[in-house]
Amino acid sequence: MGIILIIILILLGGGVFMYLQQPQFGQVATGDRLMRMQQSPNYKDGKFVNRYPTRMLPEGYSMAGEVYRTFIKHTPRKYPVDSIPSVKTDLTSIPLHQNILIWFGHSSYYMQLDGKRILVDPVLSGAASPLPIGVKAFPGTDIYDVADFPTLDYLLITHDHFDHLDYKTVIALQPKVKQVVCGLGVGASLAYWGYQHDQLVEMDWDEELEIATNYKLYTVTAKHGSGRSIHPDNTLWLSFVISSPSMQIFVGGDSGYDVHFKEIGKSFGPFDLAILDNGQYGEDGFATIHMSPKYTLRAAQDLQAKRLFPVHSSKFVLSRHAWDEPLLKISALLAEDKSYLVLPKIGEAVDLNDRQRIFDAWWEGVN
C-alpha cells in the first residue's frame, strides 16, 4: 500500500507540474530582467515585499479555509440570479478629444484622456482563473471582446494575478497595443506571449514615464502581492498616477489600506478621480490586501480625491460577501454626497469632465 501511495503522489505531482507548464501561467524572469529586479530596493530574498508589514491572511486563517468559505460554504446572494445590466458603447467611434471612461466590470476599464487611449487590467475571456472549473464571469458582464477596441496607446497592468492579467485577452490585444506599462518581472510573461521588447516598459515603484508634453505616468506603491503559479511575489504590483494636461487620476489596482495613500495624496494630490479596490474583501480573511468600503472611502479621502470610482466588484466571486454588498455599502457611506461616487453600468460612457453627475443605482432590483 505504501508503494502504491507513493506512485499515486508522484503521478499527481507530475500532473500538476505538467499543468503548470501551460502558457497561461506565464514565465519567470531570467537574465537582464532578473538582474534589474534584484537591484530593486523592494526585492529581498528572492521576492518583492510590501513597504509595510503585510500578511496575506490574518493570524489564524489559512488559504484552504478561505477557499472553502469563498467557493464551497453557502453565502446568501453571493452570485446574482439576474443578468447584470450593461450597455454596449462603440469604443472606436468616440472622438479622441473626449475624456471618457468605460468600465468592463471588476477592475478592467478604458480611458480616453487628453488624446491618449489607455486600457487598464483587461479581463475579457469570461474567467478569472486558468482552471476549467474556475471563477466565471456573471451573466451580462462579458459583452466586450478584443475586436471592439481601437489601437491603444498604453496598456497598464497593475499586477499579474489572473483577475488582472488575463492570458487570452492580452495575447489577442498584442497587435493593437503600442506600449505596455507593468511592474518589474511582469514583462517576462508578456514577452513569452508574443509582446516585443519595444512594447514593454517595466517599472519599479517611484518612477515616472513621460507620455507627452505636460503628460506623465508615475508608478507608486500598493499593499498587495503577485504571482501566477507556485512562485509568490516574483513580480511587482503597482498603482499608477496619471498626470495629464487637464486632470490627475489615481489608478489603484489592488491594495489593502495603509499610510501609503496619505503619502501619495501629499505627493500627487488632489486627484480629480481615484479608482480604488472595493470588493472581494473579507473583514477578516484578505482584509490586509483588499479594501472593504469604509477603507476605500478612507483611502480616497487620504488621496484628496474629488471623486471616487470604486471597482473590483460586480463580475467575479473571489470572496464571500454578497455580489452587490460593495456597492450597497459604499453608497450608504456617501448617501449625503451622491455626486462623489462614479458608479456606471458596465459599458456605459462616463464623461470625465462632468464632475456633478449622479449615477443611477443600477444594482437595485437585480437579484
Side-chain angles (χ1 to χ4, degrees):
M1 287 297 294
I3 294 174
I4 293 173
L5 180 60
I6 290 171
I7 292 172
I8 291 171
L9 290 174
I10 290 172
L11 290 173
L12 285 173
V16 170
F17 175 80
M18 293 302 296
Y19 188 76
L20 291 174
Q21 305 313 302
Q22 295 185 84
Q24 62 263 37
F25 291 98
Q27 193 86 312
V28 296
T30 59
D32 291 343
R33 179 174 279 115
L34 177 59
M35 189 178 300
R36 187 182 172 207
M37 290 164 54
Q38 292 169 335
Q39 292 169 349
S40 168
N42 307 301
Y43 190 85
K44 298 176 182 178
D45 299 323
K47 63 180 182 180
F48 288 100
V49 294
N50 283 295
R51 284 184 170 162
Y52 312 100
T54 305
R55 297 174 62 101
M56 178 68 77
L57 293 169
E59 191 171 353
Y61 285 80
S62 68
M63 186 60 71
E66 284 303 294
V67 170
Y68 168 75
R69 285 185 286 270
T70 298
F71 299 109
I72 299 174
K73 187 178 180 181
H74 175 69
T75 298
R77 303 187 67 255
K78 185 161 58 177
Y79 297 87
V81 175
D82 301 334
S83 181
I84 300 295
S86 56
V87 176
K88 189 70 178 284
T89 298
D90 183 355
L91 305 177
T92 62
S93 68
I94 303 171
L96 191 54
H97 69 272
Q98 291 186 3
N99 289 342
I100 295 291
L101 181 147
I102 295 173
W103 181 49
F104 308 114
H106 200 62
S107 291
S108 305
Y109 43 93
Y110 170 80
M111 286 184 282
Q112 284 188 187
L113 184 60
D114 291 326
K116 300 297 181 183
R117 295 186 174 101
I118 301 168
L119 180 62
V120 180
D121 290 355
V123 179
L124 307 174
S125 68
S129 165
L131 300 175
I133 58 170
V135 181
K136 304 299 182 186
F138 298 157
T141 62
D142 250 8
I143 62 171
Y144 287 86
D145 58 36
V146 170
D148 295 318
F149 286 85
T151 297
L152 300 167
D153 294 292
Y154 292 94
L155 171 61
L156 305 185
I157 302 295
T158 63
H159 64 295
D160 67 357
H161 283 157
F162 295 105
D163 60 319
H164 290 258
L165 177 56
D166 181 51
Y167 166 70
K168 291 182 179 179
T169 301
V170 297
I171 60 170
L173 275 171
Q174 187 272 333
K176 294 189 173 188
V177 175
K178 293 180 181 179
Q179 279 201 316
V180 184
V181 185
C182 57
L184 295 177
V186 177
S189 291
L190 292 166
Y192 177 51
W193 296 336
Y195 280 77
Q196 302 304 305
H197 177 76
D198 60 358
Q199 285 182 287
L200 300 175
V201 179
E202 294 176 72
M203 300 179 71
D204 203 344
W205 293 330
D206 304 322
E207 294 185 338
E208 65 181 67
L209 176 69
E210 187 164 1
I211 291 176
T213 303
N214 298 322
Y215 204 145
K216 288 186 177 182
L217 179 71
Y218 299 90
T219 54
V220 291
T221 189
K223 187 178 179 181
H224 197 58
S226 71
R228 295 181 72 83
S229 59
I230 60 174
H231 304 288
D233 302 337
N234 64 343
T235 57
L236 186 63
W237 48 99
L238 302 171
S239 294
F240 296 100
V241 173
I242 303 176
S243 183
S244 82
S246 69
M247 63 184 64
Q248 199 91 335
I249 295 180
F250 181 76
V251 174
D254 283 357
S255 180
Y257 180 79
D258 216 311
V259 298
H260 62 290
F261 289 114
K262 187 157 287 191
E263 292 169 351
I264 294 166
K266 288 179 180 178
S267 297
F268 296 100
F271 287 93
D272 296 284
L273 179 68
I275 307 172
L276 290 169
D277 171 356
N278 178 65
Q280 318 319 311
Y281 53 80
E283 298 295 348
D284 38 34
F286 295 121
T288 59
I289 58 169
H290 290 292
M291 289 189 290
S292 59
K294 65 180 179 181
Y295 289 109
T296 301
L297 178 56
R298 191 178 300 176
Q301 293 168 339
D302 287 351
L303 290 165
Q304 304 174 50
K306 298 174 185 176
R307 300 193 87 188
L308 166 63
F309 176 24
V311 297
H312 212 242
S313 73
S314 308
K315 188 167 186 174
F316 301 115
V317 169
L318 296 170
S319 190
R320 56 186 182 274
H321 54 66
W323 77 267
D324 57 353
E325 180 184 296
L327 300 171
L328 291 167
K329 285 191 171 183
I330 198 74
S331 298
L333 289 170
L334 287 159
E336 302 303 316
D337 187 10
K338 293 183 179 180
S339 65
Y340 188 72
L341 284 174
V342 175
L343 292 169
K345 295 177 186 176
I346 288 173
E348 182 178 7
V350 177
D351 181 354
L352 290 171
N353 294 323
D354 182 357
R355 306 185 186 194
Q356 300 301 316
R357 178 182 171 186
I358 296 175
F359 290 81
D360 295 333
W362 58 262
W363 56 91
E364 291 183 355
V366 180
N367 296 312

